[in-house]
Amino acid sequence: TKLCATADDVMYWLDPRNPDLRQRYLEHMRDEMVEPEPEGTPPLAVSASFGTISEYFFLAMRTLHLGLLSSFTVFNELARHHHMSKNEQDLREGEIARLRQMGGGAPNPLLEQMEAEIAKFREMNAAITRFLHCYQTQLLDPDLLSLALRYYRLVSRWLGA
């Protein structure tokens, strides 16, 4: 893999205090006919406790891999499980309605058992829905998405083939 980010690209991302670097970066982006970041978007903040670009790169990639990408995987699994559980609940509710029509209101132990199962499905679906809302809140945070997207854009320019 070769590194193809220019010094202007890297310095723009690493030194947010220098407006001259932003201007050089914007001019470079215009020369290459690439749409730059929107005006007023601050550069990524980088800690001074690390010494090299590679440390930033690998720490950020590992953090995104462990945090953001694994959260998407868990969210997709929860959504799939919720969908299957909801379908199962709907099937059981339909079966109860059919049994009630056939039974004419007579007490049926099978109906009681199925109603207990449906109550469990409802509780489980409510819990899964709460988890899904939590993950959506995390994954749809505009600041998180913006920073991750900006970082991936930098990486794609930096590690060009």
Side-chain angles (χ1 to χ4, degrees):
T1 305
K2 71 174 186 169
L3 301 178
C4 72
T6 65
D8 293 337
D9 292 337
V10 174
M11 291 311 298
Y12 166 72
W13 291 102
L14 296 181
D15 188 5
R17 296 172 303 276
N18 192 340
D20 185 46
L21 291 175
R22 175 159 177 81
Q23 188 59 38
R24 282 182 26 204
Y25 173 76
L26 292 174
E27 289 171 7
H28 176 74
M29 296 299 280
R30 271 193 294 273
D31 292 343
E32 291 186 8
M33 295 184 180
V34 176
E35 185 178 330
E37 294 291 321
E39 191 64 39
T41 303
L44 293 174
V46 179
S47 172
S49 65
F50 293 100
T52 64
I53 299 291
S54 63
E55 287 176 336
Y56 299 138
F57 173 79
F58 289 113
L59 284 172
M61 287 301 271
R62 188 66 179 160
T63 301
L64 287 172
H65 182 71
L66 291 176
L68 190 63
L69 296 179
S70 64
S71 292
F72 278 115
T73 303
V74 171
F75 177 75
N76 286 334
E77 278 299 309
L78 277 173
R80 186 183 62 78
H81 187 67
H82 183 261
H83 179 73
M84 289 177 12
S85 179
K86 184 70 173 151
N87 284 344
E88 188 68 28
Q89 177 185 337
D90 292 343
L91 286 172
R92 300 278 167 96
E93 287 173 346
E95 184 67 17
I96 283 180
R98 189 183 63 78
L99 286 173
R100 283 190 177 138
Q101 286 178 350
M102 289 177 30
N108 187 344
L110 181 61
L111 282 175
E112 293 171 10
Q113 180 184 0
M114 290 182 77
E115 286 173 350
E117 288 176 0
I118 288 175
K120 288 180 185 177
F121 275 112
R122 284 186 181 136
E123 288 176 26
M124 184 172 57
N125 286 334
I128 293 173
T129 300
R130 285 192 300 273
F131 287 131
L132 285 172
H133 288 307
C134 290
Y135 274 96
Q136 284 175 338
T137 301
Q138 173 201 2
L139 296 174
L140 297 177
D141 177 43
D143 294 335
L144 175 67
L145 291 175
S146 173
L147 289 172
L149 181 62
R150 289 178 64 203
Y151 177 75
Y152 281 131
R153 284 180 66 190
L154 173 67
V155 169
S156 69
R157 288 191 41 82
W158 192 28
L159 298 176

